[in-house]
Amino acid sequence: MSASEKKRNAAEAALQFIEPGMTVGVGTGSTVSFLIEMLPGIRDKIDHVVSSSKASTALLQENGFEVSTLNETGDYDIYIDGADESNKRLQLIKGGGGALTREKVLAAAARRFVCIVDDTKLVGMLGNFPLPIEVLPMAQGLVSRRMLKMRGQPIWREGFVTDNGNHILDVHDLQISNPLEMEARINRIPGVITVGLFADRPADILLIGGEDGGVREMRV
Ligand code: 5RP
């Protein structure tokens, strides 16, 4: 079974968590794109949608949805998004698509966070996937030096500008044995907008598309 098919199956399994009258937060990436294409099928259940990126907003609009802002909806029902890695505690690395800041805001405001992945994303320890950090452009050097001190290898994502006008550093070779501590530590570096570690606000439910076509559900 291809990674795309597993992602599609995980996205489909997330639909069962959307109940009538809900406001749905939508993440970013290829897994979520499958979800967005399925949302018109349950249009009647959805009161409002909020989006984590310009790309997802455009796709939602193509699929007939008017997109609300988080300031309009306030705290809301359910956020559905993919991830680059998850551990068994449902702490995540996110930001492979560069949308981590708005994703983190939407995850924080959601009563429930459902994460949809294929089975290659479940890992014992986070950090094999380079950790994305959104940084203020003028602080790129400072943040890079701080990450080198933390034994990471920061690489600027060349030619990439986030929806918020910032840069991304992808930090390789980190062994993230304590995700909560590392998230807090990186958050303290001046110029860091968002670190793509979702440990303080992990997912509540992880849906994992597997090789056999099934979808495994994990909760903390
Ligand atoms: C975007 C993200 C995505 O959720 C993550 O990169 C996974 O992407 P995909 O669903 O394409 O595998 O964090 O910023």
Side-chain angles (χ1 to χ4, degrees):
M1 176 149 296
S2 71
S4 286
E5 285 170 309
K6 295 181 206 174
K7 289 178 179 192
R8 196 186 181 286
N9 289 341
E12 192 169 26
L15 295 177
Q16 64 183 299
F17 295 97
I18 300 175
E19 291 165 17
M22 279 191 165
T23 292
V24 180
V26 175
T28 300
S30 57
T31 318
V32 165
S33 296
F34 286 122
L35 176 84
I36 294 174
E37 282 159 12
M38 294 170 195
L39 289 181
I42 56 159
R43 180 78 194 79
D44 292 351
K45 282 190 178 176
I46 300 172
D47 257 20
H48 298 283
V49 292
V50 285
S51 164
S52 61
S53 63
K54 290 179 183 172
S56 288
T57 296
L59 199 52
L60 282 161
Q61 287 168 340
E62 276 170 37
N63 280 275
F65 288 91
E66 201 176 297
V67 179
S68 303
T69 68
L70 186 63
N71 290 326
E72 288 165 341
T73 64
D75 286 351
Y76 66 99
D77 301 295
I78 185 166
Y79 180 55
I80 306 174
D81 197 359
D84 300 301
E85 280 184 353
S86 174
N87 65 18
K88 286 189 186 126
R89 302 171 77 175
L90 310 198
Q91 297 168 316
L92 312 170
I93 287 184
K94 290 187 45 55
L100 60 163
T101 295
R102 298 185 191 195
E103 291 174 342
K104 207 174 237 195
V105 173
L106 287 196
R111 281 182 276 280
R112 178 176 262 185
F113 175 9
V114 176
C115 185
I116 49 179
V117 294
D118 67 80
D119 57 3
T120 63
K121 308 275 185 83
L122 186 62
V123 297
M125 190 195 293
L126 299 175
N128 198 31
F129 191 91
L131 179 65
I133 305 178
E134 180 166 356
V135 296
L136 204 62
M138 59 83 72
Q140 200 176 301
L142 172 78
V143 178
S144 293
R145 291 191 295 280
R146 295 288 178 92
M147 293 315 300
L148 283 168
K149 275 192 190 159
M150 290 171 70
R151 305 223 168 104
Q153 296 299 323
I155 295 181
W156 176 47
R157 200 178 292 181
E158 209 160 335
F160 187 87
V161 178
T162 69
D163 285 355
N164 315 304
N166 297 309
H167 292 171
I168 298 277
L169 283 175
D170 292 306
V171 186
H172 296 247
D173 299 339
L174 288 172
Q175 302 228 325
I176 308 177
S177 56
N178 187 338
L180 257 180
E181 195 264 339
M182 185 165 286
E183 183 178 12
R185 201 165 156 201
I186 296 174
N187 274 334
R188 285 198 294 269
I189 304 171
V192 167
I193 307 290
T194 303
V195 53
L197 261 177
F198 285 51
D200 187 50
R201 199 309 175 220
D204 300 307
I205 297 173
L206 183 67
L207 298 174
I208 309 160
E211 201 57 56
D212 60 358
V215 177
R216 180 150 76 100
E217 182 180 316
M218 281 176 69
R219 299 186 189 224
V220 189

